[in-house]
Amino acid sequence: MDVNQQKDEAADGLVIGLPQFQAFAETSLDGCLLLDGQGKTLFCNARAAAMLGQSAADVLGHAPGLALPEAGTAHLDGEQAGRGAGHLWANVQPVLWGGQPARLVVLTDLAERKATPEELDSVWKIQLRMKDEFLSRVSHELRSPLNAVYQYVTILLDGLAGKINNEQREYLGIALRNVKQLRNMIGDLLDVTRSRSNKLHLAPCEMDVAQTVAAALDTVRHEAQAKTLSLSVQLQEGLPAAFADPQRVQQVLVNLLDNAIKFTPPGGEIRVSAGVAGPPAGDLEIAVSDSGCGIAEEDRERIFQHLYQVHKSIDQKRVGLGLGLFICRDLVSRLGGRIWVDSRVGEGSTFRFTLPAFSPELAVLSLIDDRLAEAKAGGDMFSLVVVDADVDAKAVLPVWEALLSAVLEEEGVAVYAGKRFVVCVEAELTDCRAVRDRVRRLAKKVCLSLVPNLSSALSFGVAAAGPDTESAEALLRQAVSTAVSEKALLAQKSVVVVDDEESYLRLLAKFISALGLRSVRTATSGAGLFALLDAEVPDLIVLDLQMQGMNGHEVIGRLKENPKTALLPIVVVSGYVEERKAGENLRPGPEVPALSKLNLAEVQRWVQYLL
Ligand code: ADP
């Protein structure tokens, strides 16, 4: 900032004279300093001198040795305050002093003020949050122009804008490498800020380790070759799948491989290996080893810290922000693993990380955990519905696949593992049974079109979750404990079948009874049906359209007039195609057609679906 600019800014602010200032400063319990445009001390009160551990006379004419901002407030830790210990709070105000720009500084000793650890913590948190917001915004803004530079340089290098000579190619190559490095650094910054604000999205699934390792190696192969480093892979045979996010694991691997390339001299070796780790038994361990400079014992833990870089690493030209390993640790721990390094200075390093092996139970709990974290952050509610199938896992697979698409369309999240399908649906706490029935209806609909008999092998449990829910395990247990089988649910239902052809009526009633319902009553006329309804309203009516006396159309009209029966599901049947066509617009729901009387199994299927 030049002097004129400072003058302008200060002119909008405070202009004070010596008497007022001295009177104010000498009586203040805080430290007061006045610094000229070059940062030299023009005035220092006794309190400030004591804070700086010098006499006022010694401070005058010199810079006070504090890392002060041009204006505004700052928290100075022990190092920045030049005292080796204690924390100062500095408030800096630009002023005009004798017509020249100057800075008025008020210092508060946070330790002497007996700031509580909570106060200090909250100041730190505010500062960190502001820094993260700033970094996130800057990184976002930098991304687009940088991408444009990347694209144009690539176009030039590919010769799409005309022929280039060797020298130009070399320079453009250097430009491209630097742009790539900048892109990586910005990516790292964005990841760190996303992670802090809990916006880092991970999508763990059944991950093939070999595929992910191969993808990571492809990314760095060119660079390793350019530095004449050998790359090799060793994977344990029959390695089980991991439960992890392949994109993020690839990011971790590329980070470790990039470092290995950076810190290994030409001609060295880099090796990736993976196997089953232990304990805890069943976890997978992936390692990236190099024959590079190695890491001193005292740095082996610190390198995983935010912004930490080892001084005097062999590659002085190296670039990076010291965020790579910090992000690796964050990602690996979010995936339920851990990361560490074994190393010998001068001989090389091996970075190892673990990942949980895939298991259906883990996949289910992870889905619920994620949804719970969202609910806790947003304060919203959801219901967990667990659908279990009492059949072979392979038989139910097509049903689960179709059910998953149906659930996603309704904006729920779901996962299936073996015989279990788990779905989280947005819902109010009081709405549990309705949510269960919504999922049950979807499941039965899927069965109806794929494997009709399978729906009677399903059972449904439900539990409501919200910000107070203890854990994913507890919620799952609760849902499973309420499980009711489709058979049990059907055993509570009652149906009335209406047809004036008695022999057919008996046959149809027999087919429907086979569903195991509580009651199947029959009526041979519309009048007979209404007499039965007076005694008890059923859960569904099967109705022939062609009847002597009151025909099916009239019956439906009367049912709709009565609020008690207006919403009853009705399956209409007829022996005549024409009659069925006419009955189409009478059908109870858009998805249920008027059915042929002859196809008893079909009628039975729709009854089962609608109940
Ligand atoms: P940077 O962006 O600086 O590489 P990282 O977090 O990835 O940041 O690494 C932190 C520090 O750890 C590096 O600056 C380096 O000193 C050390 N380091 C990381 N990987 C290796 C390695 N394979 N060999 C030696 N030192 C390493």
Side-chain angles (χ1 to χ4, degrees), residues 368-369 372-373 375-376 380-382 384 429 463-476 478:
I368 305 173
D369 246 347
L372 259 183
K376 285 190 189 219
D380 62 341
M381 310 282 198
F382 70 95
L384 173 77
L429 265 181
D468 302 331
T469 303
E470 202 182 295
S471 67
E473 286 90 342
L475 187 64
L476 183 64
Q478 197 188 336

Side-chain angles (χ1 to χ4, degrees), residues 19-32 43 45-47:
Q20 299 106 300
F21 177 57
Q22 274 183 338
F24 158 77
E26 294 300 0
T27 54
S28 172
L29 286 177
D30 286 321
C32 297
F43 174 84
N45 73 351
R47 191 77 194 89

Side-chain angles (χ1 to χ4, degrees), residues 113-440:
R113 213 186 122 243
K114 298 229 177 346
T116 60
E118 290 76 24
E119 271 180 313
L120 281 177
D121 199 43
S122 85
V123 170
W124 268 113
K125 278 189 182 140
I126 292 170
Q127 286 194 334
L128 268 182
R129 204 192 61 229
M130 284 168 63
K131 192 182 78 194
D132 284 343
E133 277 172 14
F134 172 75
L135 282 180
S136 160
R137 214 175 277 178
V138 170
S139 317
H140 268 293
E141 294 302 323
L142 287 178
R143 241 180 1 175
S144 315
L146 205 60
N147 261 337
V149 175
Y150 180 84
Q151 299 299 347
Y152 280 107
V153 174
T154 312
I155 288 173
L156 291 176
L157 260 176
D158 290 346
L160 296 176
K163 231 176 146 184
I164 52 169
N165 64 33
N166 285 344
E167 196 179 350
Q168 288 166 337
R169 180 176 307 282
E170 189 194 332
Y171 295 165
L172 285 171
I174 296 171
L176 195 66
R177 262 204 312 284
N178 282 283
V179 172
K180 274 188 194 163
Q181 279 161 0
L182 261 178
R183 272 207 324 189
N184 290 345
M185 288 193 234
I186 288 173
D188 281 356
L189 278 175
L190 278 173
D191 273 348
V192 169
T193 51
R194 276 191 203 118
S195 166
R196 279 198 207 277
S197 54
N198 262 333
K199 286 185 188 143
L200 195 71
H201 183 65
L202 275 90
C205 62
E206 191 170 354
M207 186 195 91
D208 185 284
V209 177
Q211 254 177 30
T212 310
V213 167
L217 285 172
D218 280 347
T219 324
V220 300
R221 201 176 303 282
H222 181 73
E223 255 179 280
Q225 273 165 1
K227 208 174 161 184
T228 59
L229 297 168
S230 76
L231 272 184
S232 62
V233 189
Q234 196 176 35
L235 301 179
Q236 188 180 311
E237 234 172 84
L239 198 62
F243 182 58
D245 180 333
Q247 296 295 329
R248 294 304 189 170
V249 175
Q250 191 181 328
Q251 181 181 351
V252 170
L253 279 167
V254 169
N255 234 313
L256 298 180
L257 285 163
D258 270 344
N259 278 346
I261 293 170
K262 260 196 279 183
F263 297 106
T264 306
E269 285 170 37
I270 295 172
R271 199 161 62 103
V272 182
S273 56
V276 174
D283 271 9
L284 303 181
E285 185 179 299
I286 305 179
V288 177
S289 316
D290 64 58
S291 59
C293 62
I295 300 160
E297 176 144 24
E298 66 269 22
D299 287 322
R300 280 178 213 156
E301 195 42 44
R302 282 189 291 204
I303 52 174
F304 291 99
Q305 286 170 10
H306 197 209
L307 301 175
Y308 190 82
Q309 291 178 312
V310 179
H311 296 298
K312 302 198 196 82
S313 301
I314 56 153
D315 188 352
Q316 293 298 332
K317 291 185 296 231
R318 76 188 201 283
V319 281
L321 292 175
L323 288 177
L325 291 176
F326 174 77
I327 293 170
C328 288
R329 179 163 276 182
D330 185 52
L331 290 175
V332 169
S333 71
R334 278 167 189 267
L335 289 168
R338 57 190 196 94
I339 183 168
W340 71 101
V341 64
D342 299 325
S343 183
R344 271 171 182 265
V345 175
E347 289 181 25
S349 314
T350 299
F351 284 84
R352 300 177 197 279
F353 64 97
T354 60
L355 292 173
F358 176 80
S359 83
E361 295 74 29
L362 197 60
V364 166
L365 284 177
S366 157
L367 174 98
I368 305 173
D369 246 347
D370 286 354
R371 187 62 189 82
L372 259 183
E374 237 177 76
K376 285 190 189 219
D380 62 341
M381 310 282 198
F382 70 95
S383 287
L384 173 77
V385 183
V386 177
V387 189
D388 282 317
D390 189 15
V391 287
D392 186 63
K394 266 199 198 124
V396 79
L397 192 67
V399 172
W400 290 164
E401 280 169 359
L403 187 55
L404 182 66
S405 324
V407 166
L408 292 180
E409 249 171 57
E410 295 222 339
E411 299 195 351
V413 285
V415 66
Y416 54 85
K419 298 177 180 188
R420 176 163 285 178
F421 187 96
V422 169
V423 48
C424 301
V425 201
E426 214 109 325
E428 285 305 318
L429 265 181
T430 49
D431 223 12
C432 256
R433 292 231 336 233
V435 176
R436 180 198 69 190
D437 286 340
R438 233 159 68 207
V439 173
R440 179 172 163 248

